[in-house]
Amino acid sequence: MTAPNPDVAALPVDNRLLLTVAVMLGNIMQILDSTIANVALPHMQSGLGATLDTVTWVLTSYILASAVAIPITGWIADRIGSRNLFLLSIAGFTISSLLCATASNLEMLVFYRVMQGLSGAFVMPLSQTVMLDINPPKNHPRAMAIWGMGIMIAPIMGPIIGGYLTENFSWEWIFLINVPLGIITFIMLWTLLPSRPIARRKFDLIGFVLFAAFIASFQLMLDRGNSEDWFDSWEIIIEFGISASALWIFAVHMATAKNPFLSRDLFRNRNLITAMLLMIVAGVSMFSTMALLPPMLQNIYHYTPIDAGIILAPRGIGVFLGMAIGSRLATVVDARYVVATGMALASYSAWMMTGWSLEMDRWPVISSGLVQGLGMGALFVTMNILAFSTLSPALRTDGASLLNLARTIGASVGIAVFVGLLGRNWQTSHADLAGNVTEARLSPISPTSISRLGQFGEQAMMMIDGEVNRQALMIAYLGDFWLMAVVTALCVPLVFLMKKPQRMNVDSAEAASAAH
């Protein structure tokens, strides 16, 4: 196969800058919506008359719909055209966002969130494919850095924006904010976006159903596991059984089918498969941290939601710097070392968190967040460059779908595991600490003196129990950070399963061609 010209884009466009802005607007809008709703759940619960258990379906329905739809992006894009699918996705996402804001009960809101998840699922893989198609190969590192900034920054900004909108307006505004952005994005894409050639490949219904069953049951198991006490619940056992069986049958089907749902060439590509594994690890580390830190800052250190968001904002600055540095380094050194360094920095940032204390100020949070952002930024952008460097342009959309699915799975696994461990370790640490709260250690307070003090004695004991809870919760958080650091560090050697890339020097046409 003839190597592509490093100076010519696969889809040349008249105004690459404006099209990049439009693609990034759509991307950021969709990713924001996956995290912005978290902080508004209590407001939705009271406004819709829902219970604490049922209101979480606002999040679950979106995640499930998105995860099931992502893998089919490549087939639909080939069938109806990538331009048409992108426009339909933005239009569907905008309309469903408006409908979410008008929902009068929980059932309607969950239904509209499913629509939102189905339409928004295609935006990320399509936007990544567009960024690769409209830029010449020699500029792919820069294009992936720009695209990755939206992927990494939007989840960080989501809780801040969501907190501001719900505190100052109402929960409906977390959806209404998408409407003007969606309209602007649709108009810009309609005017500027070219389309890939249409290729009417056959649809493997059996393969899709098996893969969808695996993804849906696995995601549902992760989302419901903590509330249902994991494998003590028949619901979780059944969901695990369905996901494991569907995955096994799907693997057999992929190996034997004449026209499988996903091209077998994707699974023969060592760089793509390794990047998927690393993307899961990155999702675990990045998204579990973002799930743990806001409630920690609010419950233990008593910051307001807005202040907590501001303290976590330097993580985004680190991501910007990491992507800028990583994309540049990838053009002059072995990109695998850049990925390994990014993972090592992410592990070190979690190790920094294990040294936190109840008396510290905000600076340890800021410094560790900056280090993690640097690592994740360098890791994310360079890993995408490596994943697509050996992948045929015809497989880019499917490859982007799998990479984004891996990130989603990693985020779900990380949140489920670390939030679950946090609750269990909190209970264990509380029992251990409470066992040492004896009369001898609390000599000024004895059962006799407490009974004489009446309500003041009860308040004193409540204060003691509150402090034990705070100490136990802090120990549980430190345990999560320690495990996060170890797991990330152990995965660093996976980077070198990737093929050593040709040096991607932006001024070297021959090297850029060889990378493809």
Side-chain angles (χ1 to χ4, degrees):
M1 186 175 72
T2 306
N5 188 331
D7 296 313
V8 177
L11 292 177
V13 292
D14 294 330
N15 197 323
R16 187 185 302 156
L17 177 60
L18 276 181
L19 181 54
T20 299
V21 171
V23 168
M24 293 308 301
L25 270 178
N27 214 20
I28 291 172
M29 178 179 66
Q30 188 271 336
I31 301 169
L32 269 178
D33 221 72
S34 63
T35 58
I36 198 173
N38 295 36
V39 294
L41 283 183
H43 299 269
M44 294 181 189
Q45 182 182 345
S46 59
L48 299 172
T51 64
L52 183 61
D53 288 337
T54 57
V55 77
T56 57
W57 280 100
V58 174
L59 305 179
T60 304
S61 57
Y62 182 89
I63 294 171
L64 281 175
S66 179
V68 169
I70 283 177
I72 205 175
T73 306
W75 182 85
I76 299 180
D78 284 347
R79 189 78 179 177
I80 69 172
S82 57
R83 168 188 163 87
N84 293 335
L85 180 58
F86 210 153
L87 289 171
L88 286 172
S89 297
I90 295 297
F93 190 85
T94 305
I95 293 169
S96 56
S97 296
L98 179 61
L99 291 173
C100 285
T102 63
S104 58
N105 56 60
L106 182 63
E107 290 77 13
M108 290 176 62
L109 181 57
V110 169
F111 177 73
Y112 295 146
R113 284 284 281 176
V114 170
M115 292 174 54
Q116 203 179 32
L118 289 173
S119 55
F122 308 122
V123 173
M124 272 202 297
L126 286 174
S127 66
Q128 189 171 19
T129 305
V130 169
M131 291 296 288
L132 291 169
D133 285 345
I134 66 174
N135 286 279
K138 69 176 184 179
N139 291 338
H140 281 178
R142 189 183 309 156
M144 285 298 93
I146 295 170
W147 180 82
M149 286 176 186
I151 297 292
M152 303 297 282
I153 297 298
I156 296 172
M157 297 303 296
I160 302 174
I161 298 173
Y164 175 80
L165 291 174
T166 51
E167 283 188 13
N168 293 279
F169 299 96
S170 65
W171 65 264
E172 288 88 352
W173 278 95
I174 67 173
F175 300 115
L176 288 174
I177 195 174
N178 292 331
V179 177
L181 290 176
I183 293 172
I184 294 170
T185 302
F186 183 87
I187 293 172
M188 293 177 73
L189 290 176
W190 178 275
T191 307
L192 301 168
L193 184 64
S195 181
R196 288 175 143 233
I198 293 177
R200 300 189 181 279
R201 52 173 166 156
K202 292 182 178 179
F203 182 59
D204 178 16
L205 180 61
I206 295 175
F208 172 69
V209 170
L210 289 170
F211 198 69
F214 158 64
I215 293 298
S217 55
F218 187 68
Q219 286 281 351
L220 195 58
M221 179 189 74
L222 292 174
D223 190 74
R224 301 272 295 165
N226 286 317
S227 62
E228 298 299 318
D229 203 19
W230 290 102
F231 292 100
D232 288 336
S233 164
W234 274 107
E235 177 189 337
I236 302 302
I237 293 172
I238 292 171
E239 288 161 359
F240 174 77
I242 293 173
S243 64
S245 301
L247 179 61
W248 171 254
I249 300 172
F250 173 76
V252 174
H253 178 78
M254 277 293 300
T256 58
K258 185 177 180 181
N259 295 298
F261 168 55
L262 295 168
S263 172
R264 282 188 278 266
D265 290 338
L266 291 166
F267 299 96
R268 296 190 189 109
N269 190 292
R270 197 166 76 192
N271 279 25
L272 178 65
I273 296 302
T274 306
M276 288 174 61
L277 294 175
L278 294 174
M279 188 68 80
I280 291 174
V281 177
V284 168
S285 181
M286 185 74 176
F287 286 90
S288 58
T289 303
M290 291 192 300
L292 292 173
L293 290 186
M296 180 187 187
L297 293 175
Q298 294 174 53
N299 296 331
I300 293 182
Y301 298 101
H302 306 297
Y303 290 107
T304 65
I306 300 298
D307 287 339
I310 293 172
I311 293 171
L312 295 174
R315 190 180 311 271
I317 298 173
V319 169
F320 272 110
L321 293 174
M323 287 186 168
I325 296 170
S327 61
R328 184 62 187 171
L329 284 177
T331 66
V332 294
V333 300
D334 186 339
R336 296 179 302 171
Y337 290 108
V338 181
V339 177
T341 301
M343 289 198 72
L345 284 173
S347 176
Y348 178 66
S349 70
W351 188 259
M352 291 171 66
M353 296 178 197
T354 62
W356 288 0
S357 68
L358 292 170
E359 291 78 26
M360 71 178 190
D361 57 18
R362 65 183 62 191
W363 291 109
V365 182
I366 293 173
S367 59
S368 62
L370 189 62
V371 172
Q372 188 188 50
L374 278 169
M376 284 295 172
L379 160 69
F380 189 84
V381 65
T382 316
M383 187 167 57
N384 275 279
I385 294 169
L386 284 170
F388 289 98
S389 66
T390 57
L391 196 65
S392 166
L395 296 175
R396 278 177 184 165
T397 305
D398 282 331
S401 301
L402 290 177
L403 274 180
N404 283 288
L405 180 62
R407 182 188 61 83
T408 301
I409 291 174
S412 299
V413 170
I415 292 171
V417 169
F418 285 103
V419 171
L421 284 174
L422 180 71
R424 292 177 183 270
N425 291 339
W426 185 11
Q427 293 175 355
T428 302
S429 299
H430 185 278
D432 292 340
L433 291 174
N436 290 289
V437 181
T438 62
E439 186 173 350
R441 294 177 181 270
L442 299 173
S443 53
I445 303 176
S446 66
T448 305
S449 61
I450 289 175
S451 61
R452 288 201 306 265
L453 291 173
Q455 64 176 358
F456 298 106
E458 292 177 4
Q459 290 175 1
M461 292 305 297
M462 289 175 62
M463 290 175 62
I464 293 170
D465 183 61
E467 182 59 24
V468 169
N469 268 320
R470 198 168 75 103
Q471 297 276 354
L473 184 56
M474 187 68 189
I475 292 171
Y477 273 113
L478 297 181
D480 271 11
F481 297 148
W482 180 86
L483 181 60
M484 199 181 301
V486 171
V487 169
T488 308
L490 290 175
C491 291
V492 171
L494 287 176
V495 175
F496 298 99
L497 292 176
M498 289 184 168
K499 292 181 180 179
K500 183 177 180 180
Q502 297 290 332
R503 182 169 294 182
M504 293 177 285
N505 194 310
V506 292
D507 298 319
S508 173
E510 294 79 13
S513 295
H516 291 265

